[in-house]
Amino acid sequence: MNILAPFAKKSEVEPLTKAGASELYCGLVDSAWQKTYTLVSSINLRHDKIANLESLEELKQSCEIAHSLGSKVFLTLNAHFYSEKQLPIVMQQAEEAVKAGVDSLIIADASIISKIHKEFDVEISLSTGNPVFNSQAIDFFADLGVSRMVFPRHLTVEEIKELAGHAREKKMSTECFVLNVICPYIDGLCTFQHLVEESLGFTKATSLACRASYKATALGKESDEKKRIAEGHASLWSNSIMRDCGLCAIPFFKKFEVDSVKIAGRAHSLEKKLSDVKAVKQAIELTNSNASKERFRELYFELFHNKCDYKNCYYAGVGFE
Amino acid sequence: MNLQKAFFAETLPLLLESDLSDFDRVYFGHETCDRRLPSLKELSEAKELCRRKSLPFSLVTPFCTTAGIKKLEPLLKSLSRDDEVIVNDFGVLKLAHENSETEIVCGRLLNKQYRDPVIASFDMAPSELKEHLKTSQVSSGLFRELLKGFNVKRVELDNLLQGIGTNLVGLDLTASLYHPFTFIAATRLCLCANCDKLSFAKKIGIFPCKKECLKYSFKFEAEQFKNPLFLFGNALFFENKELPKDLHEIGIDRLVFTAKEQQ
């Protein structure tokens, strides 16, 4: 089982690979794109500068280092959609990335998948920016030229089992997220802006509206007592902290022959990225030794210094049931 | 161009009790939860009501799990050539195209837009970014080509606070606009599911539910949202009561009235 880890600097490639990541993914926003569209309309869904490589040359050198160490590089071109004006820039970045040596392009916009598939000899990996919840959707994307996909975090392990089996029949490789950032809303069906730049005229820099401090008021005709309980439940994401994890589902993913487990967090520090890769590597070792769920809980505690919680669990059907 | 008015009901009781005299079409079904797909019997009653009132019928379908697809298949088969199906999932698009002669409409969840209400306050954004944030995926020729391959002739849009930059005039596509609730995000970690059970007080995940969304909806208020957001079932919306003045000029010939607060 491969570990697919994020990187945002050329200097991160070697330590991450040596720590156990055999696949690495990154983003690249060049200065021209940033000037025109800012990071609000990022070419790759990550709106923060620290989450992106700075130049094509850095991408090329990153690929060279990764390949020399036996790992692969994936480039994200996974905005939910691109406009007519953006398309030539996206196609140019795809072409340059393929020439620079990337092994796979992670794409969300269904309309550009078949164009890239026809024009370039590169693996296309479907981003969670275009989530797949059923086998017909797998067929749809396979027809367009997708040969690898990541499952959305909003699936149960049982649902993943069925879809992974279908993907395998279509000769498609699969990935599951196992660490960091379980979005309260489905990636591909969420249009909240992550980081709002003050320079755009917004009065206050803000982030993650889905996890902001909010007050929920229940509407409807139920009793006040019932409504208070319901309001408590509807407020579960208010002010919630991200310590998100799906490590204890790895034994299931191994059984389902999922090819890679993916770590989110392109913007994290190298220190955090390394500790994540080591934790996932340890979780795979626990899987191979048939360790108990309790050992996975201990691993979670070592990583986040907190106990597992529903709000931080990718796959509650495995973690808590 | 005449402006059609469609009434969108997510439940049969709402449809049966509503005064439809001002409307030209009925939307029935659900956009974001396959547990809320109607039964065949409910679909048949809804269609019968439309037949009696001479109103054209559109079945609204959500993004679907495989379990949802199984429930949806017989519903699709029961539709006639004169009906429409609104699709919000590429798997459903493929299924509807291959198994039904019904007119397929690209629902608003498949036509991506920048919907976060905070965008309306980006006064100092570069002009090209401002223009881009008003657009939608169907403004792209490649996306229109993809839809054409599935014989889609209508797409659906949300009413953005920053304005609508999509213009379909002369492009062999017509558009519908939802009013007054604009979609922001959907989840399967549903905050309505089991919300009134103390035993679920701190539990969040994908669990069986008793469709508590039929009894509760929520208003969310926060310092960083200028206006309240609304949680209807497993999806968040904001309310935008103001309609663009130039609907015909940008190719919109249908308004879809969502009575979500009454479901």
Side-chain angles (χ1 to χ4, degrees):
Chain A
M1 186 173 260
N2 298 305
I3 299 174
L4 174 54
F7 76 100
K9 288 188 186 77
K10 179 184 70 178
S11 57
E12 294 176 347
V13 171
E14 186 173 336
L16 287 168
T17 304
K18 288 187 170 166
S22 53
E23 297 173 334
L24 299 158
Y25 70 98
C26 62
L28 167 63
V29 181
D30 70 17
S31 53
W33 180 286
Q34 199 170 321
K35 196 175 167 199
T36 309
Y37 295 109
T38 77
L39 290 166
V40 166
S41 170
S42 168
I43 199 167
N44 65 43
L45 272 193
R46 281 283 74 83
H47 307 264
D48 21 4
K49 203 174 174 182
I50 53 164
N52 285 294
L53 298 178
E54 286 185 349
S55 68
L56 193 64
E57 186 54 31
E58 190 178 10
L59 175 65
K60 190 173 174 232
Q61 290 175 18
S62 300
C63 290
E64 284 166 4
I65 299 167
H67 292 162
S68 73
L69 296 167
S71 57
K72 290 181 176 176
V73 174
F74 297 48
L75 180 75
T76 49
L77 280 172
N78 61 342
H80 287 181
F81 75 98
Y82 299 107
S83 68
E84 201 82 24
K85 279 187 185 171
Q86 291 174 334
L87 184 66
I89 312 171
V90 175
M91 291 304 288
Q92 190 184 336
Q93 188 174 117
E95 185 177 6
E96 288 170 346
V98 173
K99 282 184 188 157
V102 300
D103 301 279
S104 189
L105 294 175
I106 302 175
I107 301 175
D109 183 339
S111 63
I112 69 163
I113 289 173
S114 56
K115 187 172 172 66
I116 286 182
H117 180 61
K118 279 176 203 153
E119 295 187 19
F120 308 118
D121 182 21
V122 66
E123 178 187 72
I124 296 176
S125 183
L126 183 67
S127 163
T128 186
N130 212 329
V132 160
F133 292 102
N134 56 70
S135 48
Q136 283 79 3
I138 292 178
D139 295 347
F140 172 89
F141 286 107
D143 291 347
L144 293 181
V146 168
S147 51
R148 180 176 174 124
M149 58 171 291
V150 63
F151 292 117
R153 280 160 274 208
H154 289 221
L155 283 171
T156 65
V157 165
E158 280 306 305
E159 288 165 344
I160 289 174
K161 178 184 179 181
E162 187 260 325
L163 295 179
H166 189 78
R168 236 185 0 266
E169 283 170 20
K170 300 297 264 186
K171 313 251 181 270
M172 213 185 262
S173 311
T174 54
E175 304 161 6
C176 287
F177 282 103
V178 290
L179 216 51
N180 301 327
V181 199
I182 179 161
C183 298
Y185 298 92
I186 298 162
D187 296 25
L189 295 172
C190 176
T191 59
F192 274 131
Q193 290 293 310
H194 274 195
L195 287 170
V196 175
E197 294 162 70
E198 285 182 88
S199 60
L200 296 177
F202 191 61
T203 48
K204 185 184 165 199
T206 181
S207 66
L208 297 180
C210 49
R211 292 199 186 214
S213 171
Y214 65 84
K215 179 177 179 274
T217 306
L219 312 170
K221 293 172 187 159
E222 298 302 306
S223 69
D224 285 350
E225 190 189 347
K226 284 274 190 189
K227 279 184 178 173
R228 293 302 85 82
I229 298 170
E231 284 166 358
H233 194 264
S235 304
L236 279 175
W237 292 118
S238 178
N239 258 337
S240 60
I241 298 163
M242 280 185 282
R243 293 186 289 252
D244 307 332
C245 169
L247 293 177
C248 67
I250 290 179
F252 294 86
F253 300 150
K254 191 187 169 200
K255 247 186 263 173
F256 308 157
E257 297 179 49
V258 169
D259 299 276
S260 302
V261 284
K262 185 169 184 174
I263 302 170
R266 276 188 264 157
H268 290 163
S269 67
L270 176 61
E271 190 189 3
K272 165 74 174 149
K273 286 171 184 160
L274 282 171
S275 92
D276 287 348
V277 170
K278 285 172 189 164
V280 173
K281 195 177 169 195
Q282 223 177 318
I284 293 173
E285 285 163 6
L286 290 176
T287 298
N288 292 338
S289 62
N290 294 318
S292 67
K293 197 188 284 183
E294 205 42 49
R295 277 297 294 121
F296 285 91
R297 287 193 197 282
E298 285 166 15
L299 181 59
Y300 180 88
F301 192 85
E302 286 162 26
L303 193 60
F304 294 108
H305 311 293
N306 271 282
K307 283 185 176 175
C308 293
D309 182 80
Y310 275 94
K311 274 182 286 184
N312 301 117
C313 184
Y314 280 23
Y315 309 105
V318 169
F320 293 96
E321 299 301 302
Chain B
M1 201 193 288
N2 289 327
L3 187 66
Q4 295 174 45
K5 288 184 191 170
F7 180 78
F8 181 7
E10 291 176 351
T11 65
L12 188 61
L14 177 67
L15 182 61
L16 294 175
E17 75 193 22
S18 296
D19 176 6
L20 300 172
S21 54
D22 280 345
F23 294 95
D24 311 301
R25 174 176 284 275
V26 162
Y27 274 39
F28 182 62
H30 207 273
E31 295 174 282
T32 56
C33 184
D34 57 15
R35 295 176 184 179
R36 291 281 306 272
L37 277 168
S39 65
L40 253 181
K41 187 169 176 284
E42 287 169 325
L43 178 64
S44 155
E45 283 182 49
K47 285 190 64 178
E48 175 54 24
L49 175 84
C50 291
R51 193 195 57 76
R52 282 201 314 269
K53 294 187 180 280
S54 301
L55 288 168
F57 181 82
S58 304
L59 173 66
V60 182
T61 64
F63 61 90
C64 282
T65 58
T66 300
I69 291 278
K70 282 182 187 151
K71 200 172 168 189
L72 180 60
E73 275 175 322
L75 303 182
L76 286 178
K77 281 181 186 152
S78 78
L79 295 178
S80 62
R81 193 185 273 261
D82 299 333
D83 298 326
E84 271 184 356
V85 58
I86 316 294
V87 300
N88 286 297
D89 179 309
F90 283 117
V92 176
L93 174 67
K94 185 173 168 65
L95 186 74
H97 181 63
E98 291 173 356
N99 295 287
S100 160
E101 292 183 331
T102 308
E103 199 76 41
I104 300 172
V105 175
C106 172
R108 60 175 159 171
L109 270 60
L110 279 191
N111 183 25
K112 304 295 182 193
Q113 288 177 283
Y114 287 90
R115 294 174 162 103
D116 189 336
V118 79
I119 289 170
S121 59
F122 290 177
D123 298 335
M124 288 152 65
S127 57
E128 262 191 84
L129 173 63
K130 276 188 178 173
E131 187 191 320
H132 178 67
L133 294 173
K134 291 178 184 177
T135 192
S136 73
Q137 193 164 14
V138 77
S139 299
S140 150
L142 274 182
F143 188 62
R144 292 196 300 274
E145 206 176 299
L146 184 133
L147 294 179
K148 200 175 170 187
F150 290 85
N151 211 16
V152 172
K153 298 191 180 89
R154 174 176 291 279
V155 293
E156 308 217 300
L157 294 161
D158 258 323
N159 190 11
L160 306 176
L161 279 181
Q162 65 269 30
I164 298 172
T166 303
N167 191 332
L168 297 174
V169 172
L171 292 176
D172 283 339
L173 272 172
T174 48
S176 318
L177 185 73
Y178 282 78
H179 177 76
F181 291 105
T182 299
F183 170 83
I184 302 173
T187 183
R188 290 191 75 217
L189 307 175
C190 182
L191 291 173
C192 277
N194 306 296
C195 66
D196 58 1
K197 295 185 183 71
L198 274 174
S199 57
F200 273 82
K202 292 191 173 176
K203 288 187 185 177
I204 189 84
I206 304 170
F207 300 120
C209 71
K210 294 223 160 32
K211 298 181 186 169
E212 285 79 5
C213 50
L214 293 170
K215 294 192 285 186
Y216 302 92
S217 52
F218 297 90
K219 183 166 77 171
F220 284 1
E221 292 167 291
E223 195 190 342
Q224 74 182 66
F225 316 149
K226 285 196 170 171
N227 296 306
L229 308 184
F230 294 91
L231 184 74
F232 297 123
N234 65 333
L236 264 183
F237 297 81
F238 69 85
E239 191 172 19
N240 183 4
K241 288 180 183 163
E242 208 164 307
L243 281 167
K245 292 189 177 81
D246 54 353
L247 292 174
H248 289 309
E249 287 163 33
I250 56 176
I252 293 169
D253 67 356
R254 182 186 294 174
L255 281 179
V256 184
F257 290 86
T258 55
K260 286 186 175 289
E261 70 282 20
Q262 297 168 32
Q263 310 284 346

